[in-house]
Amino acid sequence: MIETVGTGTKLPLQETIRRARALHEVINVQLGRPNGAGWTTAADLAAPASADLEALIATARQQLCTKTPNVVGSAVLQTVQWPLIVTAVSCYLLDQRVPDLALTNVRLRFTAEWRAVGLALGRGRFTAVSGDSAANQPDVAIVPDRDALRTILLTSLETQLGFLIAQLCQRLGCHAKGLWLAVADRLAGTVLWLMPLIDTAVSPAQIEQEVAALIRVPGSPLNHRKVGVFTLTCAGRTQAFLNRATCCYWYKMEDGGYCATCPGRSRKERNRLLLQQMVE
């Protein structure tokens, strides 16, 4: 469903969302109150007695065959954060707009197996930089430049996911520091993935600069030396890759395996596999 203003005109954020969806089929975001089953608000997930969060925890325990708090907490966080981060980052990179990520404005859609498959923004509020074509619209907040907008993006994600991380730590007894590493990994990895999709001429140095600007912020829980970007060169082509700090636990799933960038691999083995992928 598309939210419209009184005249029936599309809200300014709708075009940004359309462009984001066009980047890749897995970016499934919409504007307005969604139809169909499987939707829950981000506020419900972060609530102290959330039945949906308990269901996510139970599913992670069953799929990974473990009750280890840090593993289960990280798995749940990775499920929930993916649509949120990819939506926010795609809007930011495409049109220098950051949608309103307040708990009450975000709904997530899950399958019966509790896999996140969609996100809906209730209203079209967003923050943009000076000069945005919608600067005079009532639901648009303006900041002076990209650095200020990046701060809004980072603060919005930290606030939204901070509520979920607090609940996971309280319920499971896991450590917040490890969960924030998973957020840093996902944020950096999403930037690394999206920038070449948006601009095929973007350089590894530009990608590394954007990642560093987002996660190398003093005082941020995402600021950790383990997460970053490295490059490999093969046949005259240089490509950027994510230096991950956390595991996705795919190897624990049925028919799963180890990612090429798994932090459990040695650097030599990781680079060998990635260079092989570049050749293929």
Side-chain angles (χ1 to χ4, degrees), residues 33 60 67 86 89 91 102 104 112 125 128 160 166 175 178 180 189 241 255:
R33 189 176 182 87
K67 291 186 177 181
V86 77
V89 172
C91 292
T104 54
R125 295 187 297 262
Q160 163 80 259
H175 301 294
W180 282 115
F241 297 96
D255 300 324

Side-chain angles (χ1 to χ4, degrees), residues 83-104:
L84 183 74
I85 290 176
V86 77
T87 295
V89 172
S90 59
C91 292
Y92 162 74
L93 292 176
L94 278 168
D95 291 341
Q96 295 193 78
R97 291 174 169 179
V98 176
D100 177 9
L101 300 181
L103 289 175
T104 54

Side-chain angles (χ1 to χ4, degrees), residues 232-235 237 241 270-280:
L232 294 174
T233 301
C234 179
R237 181 170 67 94
F241 297 96
R270 178 198 67 184
N271 291 356
R272 183 188 69 79
L273 291 171
L274 293 174
L275 287 168
Q276 183 177 329
Q277 289 181 10
M278 291 177 70
V279 171
E280 297 172 351

Side-chain angles (χ1 to χ4, degrees), residues 224-275:
H224 200 287
R225 59 181 178 79
K226 287 185 177 181
V227 184
V229 175
F230 68 95
T231 59
L232 294 174
T233 301
C234 179
R237 181 170 67 94
T238 300
Q239 186 172 338
F241 297 96
L242 176 64
N243 192 37
R244 289 167 48 198
T246 60
C247 182
C248 66
Y249 305 113
W250 181 47
Y251 75 94
K252 287 181 171 288
M253 305 286 285
E254 185 177 354
D255 300 324
Y258 290 90
C259 304
T261 57
C262 178
R265 293 187 186 277
S266 68
R267 179 176 298 182
K268 181 178 180 180
E269 175 68 4
R270 178 198 67 184
N271 291 356
R272 183 188 69 79
L273 291 171
L274 293 174
L275 287 168

Side-chain angles (χ1 to χ4, degrees), residues 208-219:
E208 187 171 7
Q209 182 179 18
E210 186 63 55
V211 168
L214 274 169
I215 67 171
R216 295 282 183 266
V217 178

